[in-house]
Amino acid sequence: MTRMRAVDAIVLILEKEGATETFGLPGAAINPLYSAMRAHGGIRHTLARHVEGASHMADGFTRAAPGNIGVCLGTSGPAGTDMITGLYAAAADSQPILCITGQAPVAVLDKEDFQAVDIAAIAAPVTKMAKTVLEAGQVPGVFQKAFQLMRSARPGPVLIDLPIDVQQTEIDFDIDTYEPLPVDRPQATPAQAERILDLIAEAKHPLIIAGGGIINADASERLVEFAELTSIPVSPTLMGWGTIPDSHPLAAGMVGIQTHVRYGNASFLESDLVIGIGNRWANRHTGDLSVYRKGRRFVHIDIEPTQIGRVFAPDYGVVSDAGAALDALLDAARGRAAGRGLPDFTEWARSCTQRKSTEHRKTNYTEKPIKPQRVYQEMNTAFGEDVTYVSTIGLSQIAGAQMLHVYRPRHWINAGQAGPLGWTGPAALGVAKGKPGQTVVALSGDYDFQFMIEELAVGAQHRISYVHVVVNNSYLGLIRQSQRGFEMDYQVSLAFDNINSTGETAGYGVDHVAVAQGFGCKALRVEDPELIGEGLRVAKELMDEHQVPVVVEIILERITNISMGLALDAINEFDVLAQTPADAPTALTPLSELAAAK
C-alpha cells in the first residue's frame, strides 16, 4: 500500500482502465487532478475552449474505435452544467464517456458557495451514475464501479464530482492489486436463437434491421456472416450505418422517414419478417407505426430489457448483447444448414439488390447557386471508401444520409437521438484523436458549424486535422422546411449584409472562411458545382500538409426541400430522378456465390 492523494490514485486508475485520452479545461476546483496528471505524465490532455465542446470531443473519441472511453474534465459549477448536453448525447446513443468535475469543499456544499451546484442531481437523468464523492477513501471504489457501469449492459456515460478537499486528502492505495470489475452483458441462449430461426423459416421476405448495438459490440463481421449464411438482406439504422458495406449485395439500404434511401423503404414495405438487432425502433426510422408494422412480424434483440416493447410489442423479444446474439444465431444457422436447412431467400435478396439500381434521387445538378445534392455526389468521389464522416442534425445530415455511402463500422459517426447543434466540430476533433492518420470529414450546415465554432482553435493549437464541409444556405434549413406546415418562414434566416464581405456571398452573413482562418485553420470557399471536387481535393492536401482543420464552405442555393415524410409509404419527394448514378453502390459479391457458399 502507498500513501498518496486521492487524485494521484485517480490518475493511476485511469491508466489501468485504459482511459488515458482526456479533454477539458482546468479551473480552481479541479486543479488538484490536473496537478496529478502533470506529475504522473501518463494521461494525454486536449485543452478545449468550452466544456460542452470538451464533452463532445470525449464522445467522438469514444465512438472512433472499439474499447475507447473518452474523459471530459471541468471545474465546479458551470463547467458541470456545460457538460449536460454532452452527457445527454452520449447517453442517448449508448456511448461510455467519463465526466469528472471539481466541486467546492464538502463543508460548504449546502451553503450556496461560489460555483457550488448539485451537479450529481442535475446529471442523474442523463447518466448511468452521477455521484459526488464525500469521502476520499471511496474514490477508488467509485471509479472502479463507474468503469464497470459504463461498459456493462447498455453502455453509457458517468459523472463523478470531486470536492477539492476530497481530491487532496491522502489515502492508502495499491494500483498493482487494483483490477477492473467484470463487465455484465446479457447473452442470447441457443433456445432463443432456434426460436428466431423458426420465425425466419416461416417467412418469405425477412429483413434484418442492424442497429448501433452491433457497432458497440464490435460485431459487424458476424452480422455480415449471418446475412450471407441465410441470404437475408440487411438494412442499417442511422446508428448502425457501416455494419454492412453499402456496396454489399445484401445491403438493402437505410429505412426511415428522413434519413433513408428510396430503395430501402421500398424493400422494407415488401418484407414480412423484420429482425431488429441492437436497435431502438426510433421514430425517425419507423414513422407512422401503423404503416411500419402492417403485414409483418417483428423480432427485437436488444441489450437493454426496457427497450423490448418500449415502442411496440414485438412478436418475439430477446435481451442480449448484439454480438452474443449473432454468435448464437450463427451457431444455430450453421446447424440447420447442415441438417434441417433454412429457406432459400436468394430471389428475395436479388430483388432488393436490383431495386438499388433504379430508385435513386438526382444528384448531378449543374446549377448555380449549388444544389446540395451535388455536394454529396462529389464527397463520395473525393473521399472514397476509407473516409470517416461525422455529423449531427439538420438538412445537411439528412441529405448526407440519403446520398453518401458508408462501407465500414465507425465510419459514420452521428449524434443520432439527441442531435445537438454544435456537436459536429468538437466530436470530429475527438474522432480524429481516436483515428490518427485517417481521413475524418465533418459535415455541417452553417448553423451547426457556428454553434461551437471556437473549437476550431483546438484543432489548430493541438494539430488535430480533419476536413469540415460546411454547406451554407444561410438558413436554419430543417426548421424552415418544417415551418411550411405553418405557412411561415419566421426567424430562420441567418442572412444579412456583412459589411466586411464583398461579392455574391456578402448577403450570406458570416464569413466562415475568415473566421476559420482567424482561428488558425485553413479554409476555402466553393461557389461553382464544377469546382466542388477540386475544392475537396485541395482541402485534403492542405489537411495533410498543415495538420490543422480545413474548412470547405460550399455556397448553396438558399432554399432546397429535402425528401421526407410522416410514413414510409408517404415520403414527400421534391425533386426525384430515377437513375443509376455513376457513384451508385455496386455488388462486391454475386448473390449466386453467396447462395453457393451457404
Side-chain angles (χ1 to χ4, degrees):
M1 301 291 284
T2 304
R3 194 75 173 169
M4 64 182 71
R5 297 177 303 166
V7 286
D8 297 309
I10 290 169
V11 170
L12 296 174
I13 291 169
L14 292 177
E15 287 182 293
K16 193 150 192 180
E17 293 280 3
T20 56
E21 200 72 54
T22 67
F23 308 84
L25 285 76
I30 198 65
N31 272 340
L33 179 57
Y34 274 81
S35 74
M37 291 194 300
R38 180 177 180 272
H40 289 279
I43 305 296
R44 294 179 294 276
H45 183 266
T46 299
L47 177 63
R49 295 301 187 269
H50 192 296
V51 186
E52 181 186 338
S55 68
H56 298 329
M57 291 175 205
D59 189 4
F61 177 79
T62 290
R63 298 179 195 233
N68 281 5
I69 293 182
V71 181
C72 175
L73 307 176
T75 191
S76 60
T81 57
D82 285 343
M83 292 181 185
I84 297 302
T85 300
L87 287 165
Y88 166 39
D93 292 340
S94 307
Q95 301 300 320
I97 68 172
L98 174 61
C99 288
I100 304 173
T101 53
Q103 181 58 276
V106 172
V108 299
L109 288 185
D110 196 31
K111 301 181 185 298
E112 295 190 2
D113 205 58
F114 178 68
Q115 291 190 338
V117 67
D118 188 355
I119 192 62
I122 294 170
V126 289
T127 57
K128 295 188 75 174
M129 180 179 83
K131 183 174 178 60
T132 299
V133 185
L134 301 179
E135 297 289 343
Q138 288 189 311
V139 165
V142 169
F143 274 82
Q144 192 178 36
K145 183 65 175 177
F147 279 101
Q148 182 189 44
L149 286 172
M150 282 188 286
R151 293 171 172 140
S152 291
R154 180 182 180 180
V158 164
L159 181 138
I160 299 176
D161 187 42
L162 298 169
I164 189 169
D165 51 337
V166 170
Q167 294 179 56
Q168 298 180 95
T169 299
E170 290 192 346
I171 61 173
D172 293 315
F173 181 66
D174 182 8
I175 190 60
D176 293 332
T177 56
Y178 173 96
E179 291 296 332
L181 293 174
V183 173
D184 174 32
R185 294 192 182 102
Q187 299 188 10
T189 66
Q192 289 171 323
E194 291 290 348
R195 176 63 182 129
I196 292 170
L197 290 189
D198 287 342
L199 291 167
I200 291 173
E202 296 168 7
K204 294 182 178 179
H205 296 159
L207 182 70
I208 296 170
I209 299 294
I214 295 174
I215 292 177
N216 285 350
D218 199 23
S220 298
E221 290 184 0
R222 283 170 278 175
L223 167 74
V224 174
E225 184 180 355
F226 179 69
E228 291 178 349
L229 184 62
T230 58
S231 291
I232 299 177
V234 177
S235 172
T237 67
L238 184 66
M239 299 307 299
W241 202 6
T243 50
I244 186 170
D246 276 356
S247 54
H248 194 286
L250 291 172
M254 199 183 305
V255 172
I257 57 172
Q258 290 185 345
T259 55
H260 69 281
V261 289
R262 295 181 71 212
Y263 55 84
N265 282 2
S267 291
F268 181 90
L269 292 171
E270 292 291 324
S271 69
D272 61 357
L273 174 68
V274 177
I275 306 145
I277 306 176
N279 67 308
R280 293 188 302 105
W281 310 119
N283 64 300
R284 289 203 301 162
H285 169 81
T286 66
D288 185 340
L289 285 173
S290 64
V291 173
Y292 190 84
R293 299 180 65 189
K294 184 178 180 181
R296 54 193 61 87
R297 304 166 81 182
F298 288 86
V299 172
H300 191 194
I301 302 169
D302 196 84
I303 199 168
E304 171 55 49
T306 63
Q307 286 293 338
I308 307 296
R310 188 170 195 167
V311 177
F312 61 84
D315 294 273
Y316 189 64
V318 175
V319 178
S320 176
D321 168 79
L326 284 164
D327 286 338
L329 287 168
L330 280 166
D331 287 344
R334 292 187 193 106
R336 293 206 179 192
R340 287 180 287 161
L342 285 169
D344 185 353
F345 298 115
T346 303
E347 286 304 314
W348 156 240
R350 181 175 288 114
S351 71
C352 293
T353 301
Q354 291 171 343
R355 195 174 287 118
K356 290 167 64 174
S357 66
T358 59
E359 299 195 26
H360 288 266
R361 298 183 173 99
K362 182 177 180 179
T363 59
N364 196 35
Y365 290 99
T366 58
E367 290 90 336
K368 289 180 63 178
I370 297 168
K371 287 185 174 291
Q373 294 91 336
R374 177 65 181 270
V375 178
Y376 309 112
Q377 174 183 308
E378 297 292 344
M379 289 173 69
N380 283 326
T381 301
F383 297 123
E385 296 188 9
D386 293 330
V387 64
T388 297
Y389 290 117
V390 183
S391 191
T392 180
I393 189 59
L395 286 185
S396 56
Q397 176 245 26
I398 293 168
Q402 292 179 6
M403 297 169 195
L404 292 174
H405 303 319
V406 176
Y407 300 90
R408 294 172 178 81
R410 300 183 190 271
H411 281 240
W412 170 262
I413 294 178
N414 186 91
Q417 194 212 91
L421 285 166
W423 184 89
T424 305
L429 291 168
V431 172
K433 288 287 286 186
K435 293 191 169 191
Q438 299 185 40
T439 300
V440 175
V441 176
L443 171 62
S444 289
D446 43 305
Y447 205 44
D448 172 47
F449 183 62
Q450 290 176 24
F451 252 58
M452 303 208 76
I453 198 168
E454 76 283 344
E455 302 306 320
L456 286 173
V458 177
Q461 178 181 359
H462 294 277
R463 291 295 188 262
I464 307 171
S465 58
Y466 74 99
V467 173
H468 204 135
V469 176
V470 180
V471 285
N472 182 7
N473 61 3
S474 203
Y475 249 119
L476 281 67
L478 179 56
I479 308 307
R480 177 206 55 75
Q481 185 166 332
S482 70
Q483 284 189 353
R484 295 170 75 248
F486 298 91
E487 297 183 349
M488 67 179 185
D489 186 322
Y490 183 64
Q491 292 296 309
V492 290
S493 175
L494 301 174
F496 62 91
D497 290 325
N498 188 328
I499 61 173
N500 298 304
S501 300
T502 59
E504 295 180 16
T505 60
Y508 272 63
V510 175
D511 185 341
H512 298 107
V513 169
V515 173
Q517 290 173 339
F519 279 120
C521 302
K522 289 292 185 179
L524 56 98
R525 180 178 293 119
V526 178
E527 300 178 52
D528 185 333
E530 302 305 325
L531 296 178
I532 297 172
E534 176 67 7
L536 297 175
R537 184 190 66 78
V538 170
K540 191 173 184 307
E541 289 180 353
L542 289 170
M543 178 189 72
D544 293 338
E545 178 182 357
H546 297 284
Q547 293 299 297
V548 297
V550 179
V551 174
V552 183
E553 181 186 40
I554 302 176
I555 304 300
L556 303 183
E557 63 183 6
R558 294 294 313 283
I559 294 176
T560 307
N561 293 315
I562 299 298
S563 303
M564 63 184 74
L566 298 177
L568 298 187
D569 62 353
I571 301 297
N572 294 317
E573 299 287 356
F574 294 96
D575 191 2
V576 175
L577 175 66
Q579 59 171 350
T580 305
D583 63 345
T586 55
L588 291 176
T589 307
L591 281 169
S592 58
E593 293 183 24
L594 295 181
K598 284 202 300 181

